[in-house]
């Protein structure tokens, strides 16, 4: 079993407490690595390393900053197979999906922001003769990135590249439940020639490492991805030091199926919207709103395809892997019971898998129909492989139901009517809308939440705004 330390100031370090914890394979329940358990003293060490590293980074010519980030992407592509194994080991997603994450998502994000690092331009502001005013984008300093477990490198590569591109040093706190995919980020940065201390990785509990990052006066921005309750807590605590806060919180997307669709393509797309990564994706589409005229046929085909998905360990490349932890398994099974008690009809799945998979946290694709949009099973984020099917009669009704949730992260729709596609997209209250292909898009498209799903936008060139502050310089030259 491999041991991993904290990554501080360009080297692997033991935790100040000397403690460790086990990273666990959710497909077997067995430990797969031992990891140093960070604490508040380690946060102090990381801030002490990051502060001068940020200054060194800011002093580099921007072409060099850009080239160094580009080298990080090249190293990720070179080591993609090894990094994909780490990403899968304790998070449970398929090895294929993890490979895609490293090559096409994480490396691509570093490339994208490498290209932006030397284009953070300000503006000239007209005043009057003899005066000149202009704006300059300056980095915040040190930023902290608190990420969840559903794809550690996927999550870390979202906010770290724009923060670095803007001239900041970063401290990443991955989730204890799954973190190995992100553990090598600091080592990759060092190999790419970034200053020691610019990228630090501190695993440890949210209640100690996470809170210490939020409270630390030497940290100037917090980017958090996770639950609404913790996001709210972070925002309250960050007020004490007036940190910039970006929150990417939960979602409960509606997937609206109109009657004029290509049924085979829509069923297949909706299957992956609901069950990719065992439904543990914030922009999953588990809430299927299906036009009443096709609900029966759609449901039959959707259930048949759900039952055909192969379920098993991510390392064996099954179409669906386990839930990340025993805790998440318990939450999903509890929500399935809630759905049954509310009167929804369970069409398939609904129980933990046994046999050869009994030691892992496996729940098969689960589908409910006869669901009312006001039921908890439809309103709450299950964050597991549980889809609900809700019929609708009119476009207005579908839009109203889609928006009738506290969340506003993503929604999607399937139609062959171009006018309807744009009309419905304009009425959906969410930061992202997918039309005729779930998850389509790229790092170039801003992502984030309306309503309780968050504050701020990640991805897209706007993401660097999270990590810069604007200065206006006013000059009398006449
Ligand atoms: P959380 O419990 O909120 O944990 C997320 C991260 O915050 C973990 O690293 C956790 O550390 C840390 N944390 C916990 N308490 C903290 C505190 N008081 N102060 C600072 N940090 C703290 O969420 P989760 O259950 O792991 O993740 C699932 C949720 O994340 C779902 O609601 C899902 O929708 C959301 N999510 C959203 C997105 C986007 S992009 N919007 C993406 C993925 C997931 P430890 O767990 O190590 O203690």
């Amino acid at each position: 079993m491999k041991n991993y330390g904290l990554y501080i100031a360009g080297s692997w370090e033991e935790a100040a407490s000397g403690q460790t914890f086990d990273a666990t394979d959710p497909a077997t329940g067995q430990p797969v690595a031992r990891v140093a358990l960070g604490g508040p003293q380690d946060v102090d060490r990381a801030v002490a390393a990051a502060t001068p590293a940020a200054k060194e980074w800011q002093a580099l010519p921007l072409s060099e900053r850009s080239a160094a980030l580009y080298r990080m992407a090249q190293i990720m592509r070179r080591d993609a197979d090894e990094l994909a194994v780490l990403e899968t080991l304790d998070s449970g997603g398929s090895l294929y999906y993890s490979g895609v994450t490293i090559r096409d998502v994480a490396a691509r994000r570093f490339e994208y922001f490498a290209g932006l690092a030397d284009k953070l331009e300000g503006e000239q502001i007209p005043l009057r003769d003899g005066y000149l005013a202009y704006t300059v984008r300056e980095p915040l300093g040190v930023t902290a990135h608190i990420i969840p477990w559903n794809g550690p490198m996927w999550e870390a590569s979202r906010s770290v590249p724009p923060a670095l591109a803007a001239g900041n040093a970063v401290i990443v706190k991955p989730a204890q439940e799954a973190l190995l995919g992100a553990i090598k980020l600091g080592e990759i940065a060092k190999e790419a020639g970034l200053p020691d201390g610019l990228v630090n990785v501190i695993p440890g509990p949210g209640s100690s490492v996470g809170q210490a990052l939020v409270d630390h006066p030497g940290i100037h921005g917090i980017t958090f991805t996770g639950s609404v309750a913790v996001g709210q807590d972070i925002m309250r605590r960050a007020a004490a030091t007036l940190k910039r806060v970006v929150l990417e919180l939960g979602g409960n997307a509606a997937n609206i199926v109109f009657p004029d669709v290509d049924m085979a393509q829509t069923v297949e797309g909706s299957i992956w919207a609901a069950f990719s990564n065992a439904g543990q994706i914030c922009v999953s589409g588990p809430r299927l709103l299906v036009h009443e005229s096709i609900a029966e046929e759609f449901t039959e085909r959707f259930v048949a395809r759900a039952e055909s998905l192969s379920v098993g360990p991510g390392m064996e490349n099954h179409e669906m892997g386990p839930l990340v932890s025993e805790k998440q398994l318990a939450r999903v099974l509890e929500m399935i019971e809630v759905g049954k008690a509310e009167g929804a009809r369970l069409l398939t799945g609904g129980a933990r898998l046994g046999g050869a998979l009994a030691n892992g946290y496996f729940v098969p694709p689960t589908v409910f129909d006869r669901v009312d949009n006001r039921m908890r099973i439809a309103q709450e984020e299950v964050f597991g492989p549980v889809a609900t099917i809700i019929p609708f009669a009119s476009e207005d009704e579908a839009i109203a139901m889609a928006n009738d949730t506290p969340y506003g992260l993503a929604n999607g729709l399937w139609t062959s009517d171009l006018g309807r596609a744009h009309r419905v997209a304009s009425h959906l209250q969410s930061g992202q809308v997918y039309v005729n292909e779930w998850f389509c898009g790229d790092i170039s498209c801003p992502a984030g939440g309306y309503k309780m799903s968050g504050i701020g936008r990640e991805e897209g060139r706007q993401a660097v705004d999270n990590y810069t502050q604007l200065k206006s310089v006013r000059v009398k030259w006449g």
Side-chain angles (χ1 to χ4, degrees):
M1 199 162 72
K2 276 209 158 182
N3 290 305
Y4 292 99
L6 315 173
Y7 203 81
I8 300 179
S11 63
W12 294 102
E13 301 280 333
E14 282 189 17
S17 68
Q19 288 183 300
T20 60
F21 67 100
D22 287 343
T24 303
D25 177 356
T28 61
Q30 294 302 307
V32 284
R34 185 154 299 139
V35 183
L37 184 79
Q41 278 177 278
D42 303 304
V43 169
D44 290 341
R45 290 159 70 200
V47 175
T51 306
K55 293 211 162 59
E56 193 184 330
W57 183 234
Q58 288 156 20
L60 282 180
L62 291 179
S63 57
E64 286 184 30
R65 190 190 291 175
S66 175
L69 293 177
Y70 196 75
R71 283 195 297 275
M72 283 187 75
Q74 287 175 316
I75 294 166
M76 285 176 177
R77 289 191 197 284
R78 183 197 69 196
D79 296 346
D81 291 345
E82 181 200 346
L83 293 169
V85 169
L86 287 172
E87 183 84 345
T88 285
L89 262 184
D90 62 349
S91 69
S94 83
L95 201 52
Y96 170 78
Y97 175 80
S98 294
V100 171
T101 295
I102 305 300
R103 292 185 181 88
D104 299 345
V105 180
R108 159 84 181 123
R109 287 168 170 173
F110 274 90
E111 284 162 359
Y112 181 84
F113 285 104
L116 266 185
D118 57 358
K119 299 174 191 70
L120 303 176
E121 293 158 0
E123 290 175 334
Q124 182 262 320
I125 300 161
L127 288 178
R128 61 177 185 273
D129 197 27
Y131 289 84
L132 166 70
Y134 58 92
T135 59
V136 190
R137 292 199 163 278
E138 297 186 342
L140 300 181
V142 180
T143 58
H145 305 254
I146 302 177
I147 60 175
W149 39 259
N150 56 334
M153 181 59 105
W154 197 101
E155 293 291 350
S157 65
R158 229 169 119 89
S159 61
V160 165
L164 293 174
N168 300 279
V170 302
I171 303 173
V172 178
K173 193 214 91 64
Q176 280 179 280
E177 276 173 341
L179 74 156
L180 295 178
I183 202 120
K184 293 214 161 186
L185 205 54
E187 200 177 62
I188 294 169
K190 186 179 174 92
E191 188 188 340
L194 280 74
D196 286 351
L198 200 74
V199 178
N200 307 277
V201 183
I202 310 205
S207 55
S208 66
V209 174
Q211 290 199 359
L213 291 167
V214 175
D215 294 342
H216 204 294
I219 293 177
H220 310 99
I222 294 278
T223 297
F224 169 79
T225 303
S227 60
V228 174
V230 174
Q232 289 170 320
D233 184 52
I234 285 177
M235 205 166 166
R236 277 189 290 267
R237 293 179 77 99
T241 45
L242 282 183
K243 284 183 179 54
R244 183 82 60 86
V245 176
V246 178
L247 301 177
E248 294 280 352
L249 308 176
N252 184 15
N255 178 4
I256 309 173
V257 182
F258 286 100
D260 56 357
V261 294
D262 174 324
M263 184 64 84
Q265 193 191 351
T266 305
V267 167
E268 189 64 16
S270 300
I271 284 283
W272 293 109
F275 300 127
S276 289
N277 205 30
Q280 302 167 114
I281 301 180
C282 50
V283 290
S284 285
R287 202 159 49 102
L288 287 141
L289 308 182
V290 184
H291 191 266
E292 59 188 12
S293 65
I294 56 162
E296 196 177 325
E297 183 192 354
F298 180 91
T299 303
E300 237 169 64
R301 293 172 73 157
F302 187 82
V303 168
R305 181 68 181 108
E307 288 174 344
S308 78
L309 291 178
S310 76
V311 180
M315 292 298 284
E316 293 174 10
N317 261 329
H318 288 272
E319 287 170 301
M320 212 182 82
L323 294 161
V324 74
S325 63
E326 207 158 4
K327 184 174 141 206
Q328 192 60 17
L329 172 74
R331 155 86 184 155
V332 169
L333 293 176
E334 183 199 326
M335 284 307 293
I336 289 170
E337 291 311 311
V338 166
K340 288 195 233 168
E342 286 176 311
R345 179 168 66 168
L346 180 65
L347 295 174
T348 187
R352 182 179 185 173
L353 291 176
L357 301 180
N359 291 329
Y361 313 129
F362 292 94
V363 172
T366 295
V367 184
F368 283 102
D369 76 346
R370 298 194 186 156
V371 176
D372 181 291
N373 196 50
R374 296 307 307 165
M375 290 178 179
R376 280 184 62 198
I377 191 78
Q379 284 288 312
E380 293 183 23
E381 183 185 41
V382 178
F383 222 55
V386 181
T388 53
I389 298 181
I390 307 169
F392 69 86
S394 68
E395 186 179 301
D396 286 349
E397 190 192 5
I399 293 168
M401 282 201 286
N403 290 335
D404 180 17
T405 156
Y407 295 109
L409 194 57
N411 284 298
L413 65 134
W414 303 78
T415 180
S416 55
D417 178 338
L418 199 57
R420 169 146 61 199
H422 291 292
R423 189 168 59 242
V424 174
S426 75
H427 286 106
L428 291 172
Q429 294 163 2
S430 56
Q432 289 122 115
V433 176
Y434 302 117
V435 180
N436 292 338
E437 186 183 308
W438 209 273
F439 302 126
C440 64
D442 180 60
I443 178 67
S444 51
C445 306
Y450 281 27
K451 302 193 278 184
M452 296 301 278
S453 289
I455 294 177
R457 291 293 174 271
E458 303 236 52
E459 311 191 9
R461 55 193 167 73
Q462 296 81 353
V464 290
D465 296 349
N466 297 327
Y467 306 104
T468 56
Q469 44 199 344
L470 205 58
K471 176 182 281 174
S472 68
V473 180
R474 306 107 190 270
V475 182
K476 178 176 187 301
W477 57 267

